[in-house]
């Protein structure tokens, strides 16, 4: 009986005791935050010659006509648009700027590795949750130990891990496991031990 119970725990992916459960990050912003590698479309109303598509450089800055080396990383598109308007205000009367994130860079993606149907990087969007990411990668595969999955998150250069019970989320509808994910998170889904 003990052997059957221990095998059942391995197959169902019992949690590991030394990794805490994931909780929703308290300081998560609902707005998209620009990261290095993002591609931005910048539109300056009534000034098409100043409108352009630009990448966010590895140093976190962008350059457009009349504005060089403006910090973009860590700002929302709206905040960056206001900063550009302020800079362009030296040359134009009442500039109006809109910014669209054409494609997110690696720092604004969630990477999913391990036993899912299609491991890949998923572009981050505001208020994204674990279930959103799981759907984007096609769900858990038949060899997944979903309840031993973990999220690896780097904050201020420090890497932390927390456990997320994906099988409970998908099979039992345990919405406590549908935690918010952040740009740069890595979701690791291990293989079940048989």
């Amino acid at each position: 009986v003990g052997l059957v119970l221990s095998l059942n725990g391995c197959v169902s992916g019992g949690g590991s005791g030394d990794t805490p459960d994931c909780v929703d990050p308290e300081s998560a912003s609902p707005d998209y935050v620009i990261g290095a590698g993002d591609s931005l479309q910048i539109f300056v109303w009534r000034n098409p010659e100043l409108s352009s598509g630009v990448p966010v450089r590895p140093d976190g800055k962008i350059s457009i006509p009349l504005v060089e080396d403006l910090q973009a990383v860590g700002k929302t598109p709206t905040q960056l648009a206001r900063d550009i308007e302020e800079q362009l205000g030296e040359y134009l009367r009442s500039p109006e700027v809109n910014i669209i994130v054409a494609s997110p860079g690696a720092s604004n993606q969630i990477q999913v590795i391990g036993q899912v149907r299609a491991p890949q990087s998923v572009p981050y969007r505001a208020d994204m949750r674990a279930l959103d990411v799981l759907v984007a990668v096609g769900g858990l595969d038949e060899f997944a130990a979903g309840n031993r999955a973990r999220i690896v998150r780097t904050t201020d250069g420090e890497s932390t891990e927390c456990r997320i019970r994906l099988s409970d989320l998908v099979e039992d509808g345990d919405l406590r496991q549908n935690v918010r994910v952040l740009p740069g998170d890595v979701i690791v889904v291990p293989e079940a031990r048989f």
Side-chain angles (χ1 to χ4, degrees), residues 108-142:
N108 273 326
Q109 296 185 2
I110 292 98
Q111 298 176 15
V112 186
I113 59 174
Q115 302 303 306
V116 293
R117 300 213 182 269
Q120 61 184 293
S121 293
V122 177
Y124 175 77
R125 66 178 193 283
D127 199 32
M128 195 168 205
R129 304 229 167 226
L131 190 57
D132 299 320
V133 176
L134 202 53
V135 167
V137 298
L140 301 171
D141 75 13
E142 61 272 17

Side-chain angles (χ1 to χ4, degrees), residues 7-191:
L7 281 176
N8 188 31
C10 290
V11 171
S12 66
S16 64
D18 54 352
T19 304
D21 288 337
C22 294
V23 294
D24 272 345
E26 296 171 11
S27 63
S29 168
D31 297 323
Y32 185 87
V33 177
I34 295 169
D38 285 0
S39 292
L40 307 177
Q41 280 298 132
I42 300 173
F43 301 96
V44 183
W45 190 53
R46 287 193 240 165
N47 291 279
E49 66 281 358
L50 298 177
S51 300
S52 61
V54 297
V56 179
R57 301 188 312 244
D59 66 357
K61 298 179 180 180
I62 61 166
S63 293
I64 62 169
L66 302 178
V67 179
E68 290 185 359
D69 299 331
L70 185 62
Q71 184 67 33
V73 167
K75 298 179 181 178
T76 66
T78 301
Q79 290 169 333
L80 182 59
R82 299 302 80 84
D83 290 349
I84 293 172
E85 287 173 353
E86 184 179 324
Q87 296 286 321
L88 290 176
E90 296 178 27
Y91 308 101
L92 304 173
R93 186 180 333 157
S94 302
E96 292 185 31
V97 176
N98 289 316
I99 296 178
I100 296 173
V101 179
S103 65
S107 65
N108 273 326
Q109 296 185 2
I110 292 98
Q111 298 176 15
V112 186
I113 59 174
Q115 302 303 306
V116 293
R117 300 213 182 269
Q120 61 184 293
S121 293
V122 177
Y124 175 77
R125 66 178 193 283
D127 199 32
M128 195 168 205
R129 304 229 167 226
L131 190 57
D132 299 320
V133 176
L134 202 53
V135 167
V137 298
L140 301 171
D141 75 13
E142 61 272 17
F143 303 110
N147 282 346
R148 288 192 297 119
R150 63 190 188 278
I151 296 176
V152 181
R153 180 171 293 150
T154 302
T155 308
D156 298 326
E158 294 288 322
S159 182
T160 59
E161 288 187 17
C162 63
R163 183 181 59 230
I164 181 168
R165 301 177 65 82
L166 293 176
S167 293
D168 287 356
L169 173 61
V170 174
E171 296 167 12
D172 301 332
D174 182 358
L175 295 179
R176 293 173 300 172
Q177 303 302 318
N178 195 21
V179 297
R180 190 176 299 136
V181 293
L182 298 178
D185 280 357
V186 178
I187 300 176
V188 181
V189 182
E191 184 175 18

